Amino acid sequence: MLMRGIRRALKNNKLLFIILAVALLVRFIGLVPNIAHTDEAYIIKHAKALFYNIITNGDFEPHAYKYGSWIFYLQSLVYIPFWIIGIILTNLKISQPPPTSFNNKAIDFIEYVTSDINSLSFLEGRALTAIIGTISVLIVYLIAKKLFNPKIGFLSALIFALNPLHVRDSHYITTDVSFIFLILLSLLFMVKAVTTSRLKWYLASGFLIGLSSTIKYFPLAFLAYPFVIFLDKDKLSKRLSKFSLGLLAIPVGIFIGVPYLFFSADSRHILQEEAGAQFLWYGTSITAFMTSILSYISSGGKSSIPSLSTLIPTGFKEFHSSFLIFRVLGPGLALVSIGGIFLSLFRHLKKTLFLLIIPLFTFIYNSFYIPAVYERLNLPLVPFLSIFAAIFLLNLKDNLGKIIKKRVNVMMIFFVISGLVLYHPITTSVVSSWSCGGVSPDEFSVKWINENISADKKIAQVSPIALPKKSYQVTEVRPDTDFFLTELQERKFDYFFINTGILSRFTYMFENNFFIIPQPLYQNYYVTLAMREYFSRANLLKSFTRDSMCDMSGLYFSALPTSLPTANNLIKRFSFDKEQEKDFWRLEELGNKSKINISFSLKEGHSGKGSLEYDLENIYYRGPRLMSPKISVTPSEVYTLTGWLKPVGFLNEVERDGFLRIDFFNKEDANINLPGEVIALSPRVFGQSKWYKISVTAKAPPDARFAILSFNMIGTKNSGTFYLDDIEFLGP
């Protein structure tokens, strides 16, 4: 049925064929080596085990339920050609084909050719996803064509074909693209049900709704199904009858999607275990509420159902809207898509609601409910936004035709506008696919380290970074332990290697909670500062970066600089024995969301009777900086900032906090609220409540004009008090 529809759509349709060829091309570029998606190993492992069980024991159960069974059955197909070749080799009695032996067993041949991550079977598995992604483009065309007209179908398909997020995820052996494929196919059958009023399409829709629900255990396609009643023009009684029969087909789809859950208690136990782990990332108040209803029914009313008030969202994550606008669509296409939604609501209310319900629910659910922040969660919005964008652009073309008489001029303006709107998705899709398909990060890392770093050197590393088989002296570090350049220097490390992708675990709150991240807030965050210091003071030996859509930020290999001798000439000194010394410093303004107080205190003193007291309560992402005015410096000279710091209360190793900082600026009108051209950070303190000496020494850049001195609080405990005393700034 599906293949017949595909053949009809492609027959004598060169434009659609070209669009699909482009879609397939950008999805096949860079399939391998690419980077290994974190979900691929699990799927490959269980798909391979499933195939082995089928051909050896006749066991068709996946024995894995992190995802529905579809993906395991689908990916097990890639082993069939190798199995057949193995049988042929066995029958021909080829027992020693170099470089290994198959021992006359077909299964040994499969093991041999699929043993490497870049094996042919891995390519085949990813190719299956790419093909499913390409067929999804065709389905978008058919949906838009049948609901509106062929022109909207063509343009919708083209926009979707070049969407960077869908293109990227079509490169991986994951469930996301299959999930979208089955949702779109169920919607196509719903459209067929509406346009033909035939029962078979209602049944097919219900079946696909059930099957798609098992892919990621979420019935997203069901949201659109009730709208079929309003779009079908048949008699109401017949509509309701067909709709009800379609509902009965949903359990059939669920059964086909996860058949062994209905037969095996062990399978249900596996599901409970693996779903429990997933619940940490995807569990919401809505899923908890739905689960409690099922428990209530199964317990005969003995269990409780939470209050409806638990469904009220508690916060909004700006990440998804920012990610969609600036990385997936681009600002132009995002505006066009939103414009298409409103235009379509005005002209085609029922059809628009039918198409809008899934992306609208997905956006709300992602932004208000799901605790995890994953880029791929936005995939269900992409095909529908593509249709709305096509509606807007073609309406714009029609309106231009009413204003401009010459068709040639209309088409030129239309193509220019469309080109500007589609520039971001087109370039990002092509560039990221090409970039992601280059040398793998692991291969690059192993080769470069092996050729350039001797095994006797001490390496501080932020994983994951692949290392050669030599015995390197490697120590794992993290931003909440030893991480600053001076902290690694104190431990006598020679090199610092970092995979910056891991840093998102420490900076995710900025992407979650800001549509456009405030740069003074973000750039002065301790993780960002530490990386800026490495780029400005360490010797960057090699870097390996990919396009932002490659799921990997970059690898950086740096040699740590030799520690400089402390400067000797005193430029400024603050003993804080007099209150007037406090007036030299000012507190950075971060709004009124944190309670900060800076005061002269006689409670504590390191060498005298007083100190500067820094009180922090209810931190807003980070503590505000205590900043000096501009202090003139001599280019290329060495400067030292030193002081004594006492935390109130114990700080464990991952609660380390408080550091001094020097920023060198090369322009008099530079924004001193942002980091300087070169920055230097002192080590942080942790341990018992006592006085700690902290200092940092750095060389001013050749074009330095002035420096800003700072005391920074991270706010690892959200509130606390520090005493600061005997600050000295020394120079040449």
Side-chain angles (χ1 to χ4, degrees), residues 281-282 319-320 323 366 370 372-378:
W281 306 105
Y282 294 104
F319 167 79
H320 296 287
F323 176 69
N366 290 345
I370 294 182
V373 178
Y374 292 127
E375 295 174 354
R376 62 181 181 266
L377 293 176
N378 294 288

Side-chain angles (χ1 to χ4, degrees), residues 162-176:
L162 295 169
N163 182 270
L165 183 60
H166 194 265
V167 168
R168 183 193 74 184
D169 282 30
S170 293
H171 284 69
Y172 303 129
I173 302 173
T174 60
T175 58
D176 303 289

Side-chain angles (χ1 to χ4, degrees), residues 549-653:
M549 296 300 286
C550 289
D551 272 351
M552 189 204 73
S553 300
L555 306 179
Y556 296 90
F557 306 90
S558 300
L560 296 180
T562 304
S563 297
L564 296 171
T566 302
N568 297 317
N569 183 38
L570 182 64
I571 299 174
K572 293 282 185 182
R573 187 176 193 278
F574 302 90
S575 62
F576 296 113
D577 291 333
K578 297 178 182 180
E579 187 169 359
Q580 292 88 330
E581 289 181 291
K582 175 178 74 71
D583 298 333
F584 180 81
W585 303 85
R586 74 175 180 87
L587 195 64
E588 176 191 23
E589 294 183 5
L590 283 180
N592 300 319
K593 297 186 178 181
S594 295
K595 294 181 181 179
I596 307 295
N597 184 51
I598 303 296
S599 61
F600 170 69
S601 175
L602 294 174
K603 300 176 186 176
E604 295 282 353
H606 171 251
S607 61
K609 60 183 179 180
S611 62
L612 188 67
E613 183 176 338
Y614 184 111
D615 295 302
L616 174 65
E617 186 179 349
N618 297 326
I619 185 173
Y620 181 64
Y621 296 97
R622 64 173 177 82
R625 298 163 61 195
L626 189 63
M627 303 170 60
S628 75
K630 295 179 181 179
I631 300 175
S632 297
V633 296
T634 303
S636 301
E637 292 291 348
V638 174
Y639 292 86
T640 298
L641 178 61
T642 183
W644 289 82
L645 185 63
K646 180 179 181 179
V648 174
F650 177 79
L651 296 175
N652 64 40
E653 187 178 6

Side-chain angles (χ1 to χ4, degrees), residues 11 17 62 135 147 236 249 264 338 363 375 406 517-518 548 601:
K11 187 177 181 181
F17 182 83
I135 297 174
L147 278 179
L236 180 59
S264 171
I338 295 170
F363 179 76
E375 295 174 354
K406 290 187 177 181
I517 299 173
S548 62
S601 175

Side-chain angles (χ1 to χ4, degrees), residues 417-480:
I417 294 174
S418 298
L420 292 173
V421 167
L422 297 177
Y423 174 79
H424 172 82
I426 291 172
T427 55
T428 304
S429 293
V430 175
V431 170
S432 64
S433 291
W434 187 268
S435 172
C436 300
V439 176
S440 72
D442 288 351
E443 181 183 349
F444 173 88
S445 175
V446 168
K447 182 180 179 182
W448 186 86
I449 294 173
N450 186 58
E451 293 175 351
N452 295 277
I453 307 298
S454 59
D456 61 336
K457 301 298 183 180
K458 290 183 65 178
I459 300 170
Q461 172 178 294
V462 178
S463 291
I465 292 180
L467 295 169
K469 294 182 179 179
K470 297 179 184 178
S471 298
Y472 286 91
Q473 301 177 56
V474 178
T475 301
E476 294 290 337
V477 296
R478 304 190 329 164
D480 56 356

Side-chain angles (χ1 to χ4, degrees), residues 144-163:
K145 174 190 173 185
K146 292 181 181 298
L147 278 179
F148 301 103
N149 59 60
K151 290 182 179 179
I152 293 176
F154 286 126
L155 190 52
S156 301
L158 177 63
I159 295 171
F160 183 51
L162 295 169
N163 182 270

